[in-house]
Structure formats: structure tokens, C-alpha cells
Amino acid sequence: MTGNTGGRPPLLLLCSAQFMLALDFAIVNVALGNMQRDLGFTDSGLQWVVGAYALFFGGFLLLGGRAGDVVGRKRLFVSGLSVFTLASLVGGLATDPFVLVAARALQGLSAAAVSPAVLALIAAGFPEGKERVKAMGVFGAVSSAGFSGGVAAGGLLTEYISWRAVMLVNLPVGIVLLALAARRLVADHHTTRSARLDLPGAVLVTSAMCAFSYGLTAASDTGWGSTNVLASLAAGTVLLIVFLVVQTRVSAPLVPLSIFRNRGVSSGNGIAFLSGGVMSVSTFFITMYLQQVLGYSAVKTGLAFFPQAFVVFLASVPVVRLTGKLGARNVLIGGGLLLVAGSVLLAQVTSGSSYLLVVLPGGVLLGLGVTVMMITTAVAATSGVAGPQMGLASGLYNSSRQLGVGLCLALGVVLAGMAQGAVRAIPIGGFQAAFWFTAALSAGIVAVSAIGLRHMAGAPAAGPKAAAPRPADTGAAAGAPAAAK
């Protein structure tokens, strides 16, 4: 078992790394205008500051998750974090658009190694039941706090220092985390010499994910009918089908399809996809509403998100306790209803709506719901998974959420009437349509939780027996001992 000298992984260290990744995903959004003015980005090129990160992060997540099972999660964590820190330095010192976009791509690639390694180390290091629920609670809380707080931090750093600070802030944090990892993390022993990476499968699924990520990112700029978007999505679909066929015919598949017989894994990934969409669409359109309709500056926009981030911080401990007491299914249903309520309230915005009466309470309800999603979905998506497959389950969970972020944001942009250009003035009806869209996604979360997690109804995660998997639930991992099959 991976752990520190006491046998368990240092939770604060791992969650600090996850916080940095989540923060970095959101922190650049408020700084985009300053980056464009300083480096001379075109309108169409500016989106790739965000898009390059999303493309490489989403494209390599499954490969990163499985690689941790094969080469060792500590090794992947340390190497990925090293590259991420170096890429942050390069991006912070960039003097032209190409260098900044390349640095963001490298950040996304390294994050695809670090993020599943963090989740796998936590899940493998804490026994299923109350201990894992608590550990996942901390993981989910810092992830959602990083996502929500990224906008606030980006506004403050951009306004009072420079857009470069949103990149360079990772440098001291990364160096400290690397020093602590060298001392506190010990090599895990889940991998064996016989374990190997399914290279054909890795190439196919990574190519498919990259094609999907590129198509979804480009759709918001060129429209869904453009040749590049249609060709990318078609290529991604074909590659994914070929990948699934290959996985049924190789002896050591990258993704043993039997893992989806575990209803917690399959339903948890569905919820991760939908909740990723709710987070990305709501954050994007709240930001645009504050700036375009209410006329907020970058720093004022950042401060407007602070209450949501604070609610995430306050709600994390109660959500962990409720998950342990009521079970993941019941808590996810409640969290989905909170997301529905927040989305419906935000859908009432007009050109004269008050921040205090509409945006603030809507954002707080979304913050509460997001806290539930980040904490409890991770519990469901790793429930009943054998140790040798924990990296795979973590990669699947992160991939589902990232695909939800990209696909749902692209759809939200289309619904808001922005499909034929970069961000510009949005009609008020566009904001309303986008928030009704997040309400529909949230209703989907309620439905999947109620139906897909029925086996977890009335079964709080109180101990290992609460989620004991059947042999068919997890499938066999490459190189796994017979007892894990």
C-alpha cells in the first residue's frame, strides 16, 4: 500500500497538489484580456490559452491513470508535478502567444499524470468505508475550492500584479510539494514486473480523446458546422469504436471493459460528466454576466466569486459526514437538487438583475451542490475497485468530468447564440438559455443518482462490507493477483 512512513499517504500533500491543478484550470479565465493585450493574441487564438490545456489534459487522462498502475503512482506524481512546475515558469515568462499556448499544453499533459495519481493514491491508501469517505471529502473539497477560487484569485493577481502571476504562482508551490513528496511519499507496490501498458490501446484512446477535445474546443470559435469540428468529432468517434474493439481482443487491455459492470463506477462517471458540465457552464456564464451586463472589472468579478468559494470551504465537512451517515446515493440526489435550484434561480436573470438578490444566492446554491459532487462522486466512482485498477478508475473519473467540461460548455455556447465567434456581447436570452441548460444537466444528475446507484440506497459507507464488490464488478487487471480478479 502506498503511504508515508505510517502506511498512509500524506493527505495534505496530495490534496495541495490537486488544489494547485484545480486552481490553475480556472485561474487564467479572468486574465485572458490582459494576456491578449500584452502578447498580441488574435480573438481566435486567445481561446487556445484555455483550449490547449483542456486538449492535452482531457486527451491523456486515461493514459495517465493507467500508467500509474503500471509504472508506479509516486513516480508518475513526482515526474508530472516537476513538468507542471517547469511549464508554469515557461508560461509566466512567455513573450509571444506560441510560447504561452505551448506552456499551457505542457501543463495539461503533466496534469493528466498528476491528477489521477493523486486520486489513486488516496483511494488505495484509505480503506473503503468511513476512512475513504473522509479522505475523499478532503480531496473533493480542495478540488471544488480550487475551481471556485480560481476565478477570485485570477482577478486579484491580474489586477494588482500581472497576468504573469497566475502562472508563476505555481512555481513556489510546486517546488515545496516536490520537496515534501521526495520525503513523505513511498513507492507503491501494487504494480508487478509482469504488468505492462497496452500501447495500441493507449494510442487509440489518447488520439480519440484529443480529437474530441480539439473538436469541442474549436466548436465555440468556428461553430459546430465547420469542417475542422466535424472531422475531429468524426475521427474521435471512429477511434473510440476501434479502441473498444481492441480492448475485447487483447490479453492485457488498457481499460478492461468489465470495470463498467461496477454500477458505482459507471454511474459515478455519468454523474462526473454531468457535474463537470454544470461547473464549467455556470462559471463561464456567471463571469460573462458580471462583466458584460453588470459591468464588473476583473478584480470585482473575482471578489464576486469569493462567497461561492467560501461556501465550498464551509460545506465540505458537513457533506463528508452526511455521506458517511446517509450514503452516497442520497447525498448525490440532494446535491443535484441544489444544483437545479441554483440554476433555475440564475435563469431568471435580466439586464437589471441584482447581484445580491439573484447572482449571489444562485451561486451559493451551485457552490453547495458542487461541493457534494466533488466529494461524493469520487466515492461512488471508486467504490468496489480493486487496488491494481485504482489508477484506471481515477483516470476514468477525471476523463468523464473533463469531457463534461468541454462538451457541455461548447453546447452552452451554442445555446447562448455564440457559436460563430469568440466571446462577445451575449443577449440576455442567451444567459437565460445557458442557465436552463445547467438546470437540465442537474436534473440528469438527480436521475442517474436515483436509478444508477440504487444498490447504494440506505447503505452508508460505514465499512468495507458496505460496498464489497462482486467478482464481476471489477474485472481482472493486467498483472493483478488472482485474489483481485
Side-chain angles (χ1 to χ4, degrees), residues 347-363:
Q348 311 309 311
V349 294
T350 67
S351 57
S353 292
S354 165
Y355 168 77
L356 291 176
L357 296 179
V358 180
V359 181
L360 177 59

Side-chain angles (χ1 to χ4, degrees), residues 371-386:
T371 305
V372 171
M373 295 303 115
M374 297 297 291
I375 292 173
T376 313
T377 306
V379 174
T382 58
S383 174
V385 178

Side-chain angles (χ1 to χ4, degrees), residues 97-397:
F98 176 79
V99 173
L100 180 57
V101 171
R104 290 287 291 166
L106 194 56
Q107 280 186 317
L109 178 63
S110 53
V114 176
S115 189
V118 168
L119 185 58
L121 284 166
I122 293 173
F126 291 86
E128 190 167 347
K130 288 184 177 179
E131 293 188 40
R132 185 180 295 178
V133 168
K134 291 179 181 178
M136 288 296 185
V138 178
F139 169 83
V142 298
S143 296
S144 51
F147 191 89
S148 300
V151 179
L156 293 171
L157 290 173
T158 301
E159 183 77 12
Y160 294 113
I161 304 179
S162 165
W163 66 262
R164 298 181 184 277
V166 305
M167 300 288 291
L168 296 176
V169 71
N170 295 323
L171 189 60
V173 178
I175 291 173
V176 171
L177 292 178
L178 284 169
L180 291 174
R183 297 182 57 186
R184 299 291 307 282
L185 281 180
V186 299
D188 55 284
H189 302 291
H190 286 306
T191 57
T192 66
R193 290 186 179 182
S194 61
R196 63 185 185 276
L197 192 62
D198 171 22
L199 291 180
V203 171
L204 285 169
V205 75
T206 300
S207 299
M209 295 287 286
C210 285
F212 278 127
S213 298
Y214 175 81
L216 296 174
T217 302
S220 62
D221 179 50
T222 61
W224 286 91
S226 73
T227 302
N228 285 343
V229 171
L230 293 176
S232 297
L233 296 180
T237 302
V238 172
L239 288 167
L240 185 60
I241 293 172
V242 175
F243 167 74
L244 293 174
V245 172
V246 169
Q247 295 307 282
T248 64
R249 300 189 177 186
V250 297
S251 58
L254 179 71
V255 181
L257 300 184
S258 56
I259 195 173
F260 293 106
R261 297 175 190 168
N262 182 322
R263 285 175 290 174
V265 171
S266 56
S267 298
N269 278 274
I271 296 169
F273 175 88
L274 294 170
S275 62
V278 173
M279 286 188 291
S280 63
V281 175
S282 62
T283 300
F284 179 83
F285 282 97
I286 289 174
T287 301
M288 292 297 103
Y289 179 80
L290 292 174
Q291 294 183 342
Q292 293 185 359
V293 179
L294 299 187
Y296 282 22
S297 64
V299 66
K300 194 173 181 180
T301 300
L303 291 174
F305 274 90
F306 181 77
Q308 184 174 339
F310 188 61
V311 164
V312 169
F313 173 76
L314 290 180
S316 59
V317 173
V319 169
V320 171
R321 291 176 177 172
L322 284 174
T323 303
K325 183 178 181 180
L326 302 178
R329 176 180 181 262
N330 295 327
V331 174
L332 283 170
I333 291 173
L337 291 173
L338 288 171
L339 292 176
V340 171
S343 298
V344 170
L345 180 55
L346 286 168
Q348 311 309 311
V349 294
T350 67
S351 57
S353 292
S354 165
Y355 168 77
L356 291 176
L357 296 179
V358 180
V359 181
L360 177 59
V364 167
L365 287 171
L366 286 174
L368 289 170
V370 164
T371 305
V372 171
M373 295 303 115
M374 297 297 291
I375 292 173
T376 313
T377 306
V379 174
T382 58
S383 174
V385 178
Q389 287 188 309
M390 199 59 74
L392 168 62
S394 304
L396 285 170
Y397 167 77

